[in-house]
């Protein structure tokens, strides 16, 4: 019997130290993903990590599974081809908020609508980390960023509501602070057939934190705790207070048939054939 | 519908789809655009019977992304579009080149820029095919002139993409894509089909970007025990990011050499008409059909004209064009644009042979009179 | 001694630790303290409840909590 390496079967330990800033939560999400894969005993060669471009998009360099690192915003589009090319694969798309929802917003809504069997894990740090802290489609209204010195004039997306409306089978929100919940949601998302999305509210102490949250890396992490509330806690809030918080928890968990199942039912066709053997 | 048998009246776009299927394509992703949509329609109808999958993506950016992904999962994959969609594909075309992903992109050219004379023919994406994506890179592009040739060149495009591990472009045009001609699909078992080279080492010893002696790395698929790390960031033979300048230099050099050192293997031309001529036409695709007619018309007027038809356009056949320039009194480049490939002809013109342009930009097949006028100009 | 009758060994890999302070701040059992450079010191390992949250919450894979069987 081979020794159980735990998360190290998936995590490329020899690539340490990580390239991310002190107090950046990306490593926490990465740890949760590799722990979840280990708990589920999914063989590394049956996993493809498809990353976007951004700080979180660098995560593929720390994975021992199959990986794809393509262009900004397109992780789900590449992932769609990867999944349809080999439906046995577990395809996990890792995207920043800018990557998934600005430049990649179109692919995001259509992947969810199709309900393609991919797990999207979005690191939502409320800004573009990699390019120096510009505002993103999730930056809260009036926050200061390098491209909104006077405050962002646009409201941010509710990523979970968007995913639900578009048709995702599994939608959950948690934070880089809530590490056990994080691992639990990722595990559930990996098990779910159809499109699953875990939004991880994340720290970017270097940019969003420095401009909006007084204090250090620890204050940034505490901020994640402060702005979130559980589903049960949220229900008890006054309507006026609800706006101030982001709900954490499993927000959607349903069983719509996934894209490929529906396609195959409508196009039974033949088995995979070599050239010329079809009719 | 099943695979057409015997002699069939078929349009070029259908012939393209059947060529792809016969080459082993089992995945198509695309977004509708005239004059290419019939390729998608045939794939939607026919691929399932072959165990394949068709998907209509949300745009052309997603379409090329999906075929790159599916190819990495082990499926021969392709997409088809026209100018506006081809523009949207450019960034990810570079990803495919850099990650060395075999796939085929069919561009059924129409008049641009922008929406232009949508649905009318042009050959004005020639330089875009060469240089559309940013950064240094090499590209292979083929240009069919008949419906039957569309079928065979589509197969060749897949073969070249697998042989060289790189995206291959078919530069068709509205004339070839939507003209009906009699063609015959051959017995599939008679075709030479190239499959990608799989790794011959154990998973532990496999580096996904370790090249073979010809500069092309053997290719495992996602799902194999040989782990594949495909990155659009500068990478070494492991596939993982590596930002050393010498790694970048080695990668860019190999990506160029693996194609340009084998130009002769890729280049395909047709010589038409007399061996020696006063004027040589150089053309490709739909325009070259008109050139063949013009060769005959000129002969009636007592002018000796021949044609060098480029079947492969990129890499440019420098040597053959240089030889043609050296053997003739003047060259007329006939193309449906304001002068694109003529720049390449001038680049290799070591003999300072006079070179004239016959430019067709009327949103129709180039008029023979335009070419005749250029010939007369050349003879002045 | 912790409740489980198990001793734990907590290791901080200094080469990977970026001194973010999460392990120190968020440990419910107050196992850690910071040295003058912000590097976590395992001050009271016997208070550790083996919840392993610090391990999961360390962004740099620098903490490992290992249970050492006492018997
Ligand atoms: C087409 C294109 N446009 C812009 C960029 C520059 N760019 C790189 S990463 C990035 C944003 C990253 O922000 P986000 O997706 O939120 O991820 P984070 O860095 O915060 O993890 C941008 C705009 C790019 N690489 N490609
Ligand atoms: S810039 Fe922000 S997102 Fe990027 S590594 Fe630093 S903390 Fe993380
Ligand atoms: S959480 Fe990790 S990186 Fe942060 S101080 Fe503790 S050991 Fe260092």
């Amino acid at each position: 019997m081979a020794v159980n390496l735990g998360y190290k079967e998936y995590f490329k330990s020899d690539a340490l130290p990580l390239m991310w800033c002190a107090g950046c939560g990306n490593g926490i999400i990465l740890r949760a993903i590799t722990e979840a894969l280990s708990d589920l005993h999914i063989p590394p060669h049956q996993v493809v990590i498809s990353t976007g471009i951004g700080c979180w998009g660098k995560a593929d360099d720390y994975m021992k599974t199959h990986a794809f690192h393509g262009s900004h915003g397109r992780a789900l589009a590449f992932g769609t081809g990867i999944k349809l090319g080999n439906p046995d694969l577990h395809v996990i798309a890792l995207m920043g908020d800018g990557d998934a929802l600005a430049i990649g917003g179109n692919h995001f809504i259509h992947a969810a609508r199709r309900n393609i069997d991919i797990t999207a894990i979005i690191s939502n740090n409320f800004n573009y980390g990699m390019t120096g802290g510009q505002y993103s489609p999730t930056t809260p209204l009036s926050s200061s960023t390098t491209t909104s010195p006077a405050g962002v004039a646009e409201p941010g997306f509710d990523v979970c509501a968007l995913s639900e409306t578009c048709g995702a089978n599994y939608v959950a929100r948690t934070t880089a602070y809530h590490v056990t919940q994080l691992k639990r949601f990722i595990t559930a998302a990996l098990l779910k057939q159809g499109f699953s999305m875990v939004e991880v509210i994340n720290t970017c102490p270097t940019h969003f934190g420095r401009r909006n949250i007084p204090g250090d890396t620890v204050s940034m992490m505490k901020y994640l705790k402060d702005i979130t509330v559980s589903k049960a806690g949220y229900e008890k809030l006054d309507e006026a207070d609800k706006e101030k918080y982001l709900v954490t928890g499993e927000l959607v968990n349903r069983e719509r048939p996934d894209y490929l199942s529906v396609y195959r039912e409508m196009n039974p066709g033949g088995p995979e054939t070599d050239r010329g053997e079809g009719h | 519908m099943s695979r057409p048998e015997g002699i069939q009246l078929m349009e070029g776009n259908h012939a393209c789809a059947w060529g792809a299927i016969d080459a082993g394509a089992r995945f198509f992703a695309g977004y509708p655009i005239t004059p290419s949509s019939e390729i998608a329609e045939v794939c939607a109808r026919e691929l399932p019977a072959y165990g394949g999958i068709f998907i209509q993506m949300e745009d052309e950016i997603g379409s090329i992304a999906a075929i790159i992904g599916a190819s990495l999962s082990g499926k021969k994959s392709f997409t088809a579009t026209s100018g506006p969609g081809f523009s949207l594909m450019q960034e990810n075309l570079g990803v495919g080149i850099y990650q060395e992903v075999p796939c085929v992109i069919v561009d059924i050219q129409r008049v641009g820029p922008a929406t232009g004379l949508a649905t009318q023919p042009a050959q004005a994406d020639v330089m875009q095919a060469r240089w559309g994506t940013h950064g240094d890179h090499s590209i292979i592009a083929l240009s069919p002139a008949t419906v039957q040739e569309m079928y065979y060149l589509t197969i060749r495009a897949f073969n070249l993409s697998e042989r060289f591990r790189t995206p291959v472009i078919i530069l068709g045009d509205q004339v070839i894509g939507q003209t009906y001609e009699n063609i015959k699909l051959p017995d599939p078992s008679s075709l030479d089909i190239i499959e990608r080279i799989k790794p011959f080492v154990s998973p532990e010893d496999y580096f996904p970007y370790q090249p073979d002696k010809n500069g092309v790395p053997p290719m495992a698929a996602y799902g194999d025990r040989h782990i594949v790390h495909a990155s659009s960031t500068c990478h070494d033979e492991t596939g993982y990011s590596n930002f050393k300048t010498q790694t970048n230099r080695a990668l860019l050099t190999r990506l160029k050499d693996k194609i340009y050192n084998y130009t002769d293997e890729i280049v395909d031309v047709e010589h038409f008409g007399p061996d020696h001529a006063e004027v040589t036409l150089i053309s490709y695709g739909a325009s070259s059909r008109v050139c063949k007619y013009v060769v005959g018309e000129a002969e009636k007027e007592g002018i000796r004209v021949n044609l060098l038809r480029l079947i492969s356009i990129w890499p440019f056949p420098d040597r053959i064009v240089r030889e043609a320039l050296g053997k003739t009194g003047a060259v007329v480049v006939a193309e449906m644009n304001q002068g694109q490939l003529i720049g390449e002809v001038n680049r290799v013109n070591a003999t300072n042979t006079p070179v004239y342009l016959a430019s067709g930009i009327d949103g129709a097949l180039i008029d023979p009179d335009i070419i005749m006028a250029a010939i007369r100009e050349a003879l002045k | 001694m912790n409740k489980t009758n198990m001793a734990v060994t907590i290791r901080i890999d200094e080469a990977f630790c970026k001194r973010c302070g999460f392990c120190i701040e968020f440990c419910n059992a107050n196992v850690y303290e910071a040295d003058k450079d912000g590097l976590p010191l395992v001050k009271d390992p016997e208070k550790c409840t083996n919840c392993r949250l610090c391990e999961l919450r360390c962004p740099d894979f620098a903490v490992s909590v290992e249970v050492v069987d006492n018997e």
Side-chain angles (χ1 to χ4, degrees), chain A residues 26 53-57 72 96-100 103 123 125 127-131 136, chain B residues 91:
Chain A
N26 286 348
I53 306 292
C55 292
W56 180 220
H72 190 30
D97 41 290
D99 189 83
I103 193 164
S123 154
N125 58 13
N127 74 165
Y128 290 7
M130 171 131 284
T131 41
S136 87
Chain B
E91 185 192 10

Side-chain angles (χ1 to χ4, degrees), chain C residues 12 16-24 38 40 57-60 62-63:
Chain C
I12 306 289
F16 306 142
C17 167
K18 294 189 186 132
R19 294 141 174 82
C20 69
F22 293 170
C23 54
I24 305 164
R57 208 176 269 136
C58 169
D60 286 285
V63 180

Side-chain angles (χ1 to χ4, degrees), chain B residues 327-373:
Chain B
K327 276 185 11 188
T328 190
V331 159
V332 169
V333 179
E335 45 186 346
M336 278 142 63
N337 55 50
Q338 291 179 317
Q340 296 201 8
L341 217 59
I342 191 172
E344 292 294 296
V345 174
N346 283 325
R347 178 176 61 77
V348 300
N349 189 0
T351 45
N352 283 325
T353 307
V355 177
Y356 297 84
L357 175 68
S359 157
I361 54 164
D362 299 327
L365 188 57
I366 186 168
D367 192 321
D369 289 347
I370 295 174
I371 304 172
M372 274 311 292

Side-chain angles (χ1 to χ4, degrees), chain A residues 20-21 24 26 55 125 129-130 203-207:
Chain A
W20 296 307
C21 306
C24 174
N26 286 348
C55 292
N125 58 13
M130 171 131 284
T203 61
C204 176
T206 304
H207 298 301

Side-chain angles (χ1 to χ4, degrees), chain A residues 10 12 15 19 43-49 51 53 58-72 74-87 89 91 103 106-111 113-114 116 259-260 263-264 266-279, chain B residues 1-3 18 21-24 26-27 43-44 46-59 61-75 91-92 95 99 101 188-193 195 220-233 239-243:
Chain A
Y10 308 86
K12 200 170 179 305
M19 54 90 63
H45 72 276
Q46 286 171 12
V47 177
V48 183
I49 299 288
T51 55
I53 306 292
K58 288 276 171 197
D60 56 281
D61 269 335
Y62 304 114
M63 293 296 290
K64 293 204 286 193
T65 63
H66 290 286
F68 181 90
H69 178 70
S71 51
H72 190 30
R74 319 296 171 198
L76 284 168
F78 288 108
T80 297
I82 292 167
K83 179 71 187 181
L84 297 180
N86 180 353
L89 294 168
V91 179
I103 193 164
N106 201 28
H107 307 302
F108 184 81
I109 61 179
H110 290 282
R113 175 182 61 83
R114 263 178 212 121
I116 187 154
Y259 168 76
L260 196 56
Y263 180 84
R264 278 293 180 226
M266 293 177 178
N267 300 276
E272 180 63 31
T273 51
D274 288 334
R275 71 191 168 90
E277 285 167 28
H279 49 83
Chain B
M1 217 184 107
S2 56
R3 191 170 182 278
W18 282 110
I21 290 170
D22 286 351
R26 293 296 176 266
F27 184 77
C43 288
E46 303 292 343
L47 274 178
Y50 292 83
I53 291 179
F54 164 90
I55 187 167
Q56 185 168 305
M57 291 297 286
E58 47 276 11
D59 56 29
I61 303 174
S63 301
I64 187 168
I67 68 164
I68 287 171
S71 180
L72 285 163
S73 286
K75 294 286 181 295
E91 185 192 10
N92 285 343
V95 173
Q99 297 186 347
V101 183
S189 64
S190 71
L191 298 166
D192 284 328
I193 301 296
E195 305 296 341
Y222 289 148
D224 291 353
R225 282 179 192 280
H226 298 72
I227 295 294
V228 177
H229 193 102
S231 179
S232 64
T233 291
Y240 287 89
S241 300
N242 181 314
F243 302 111

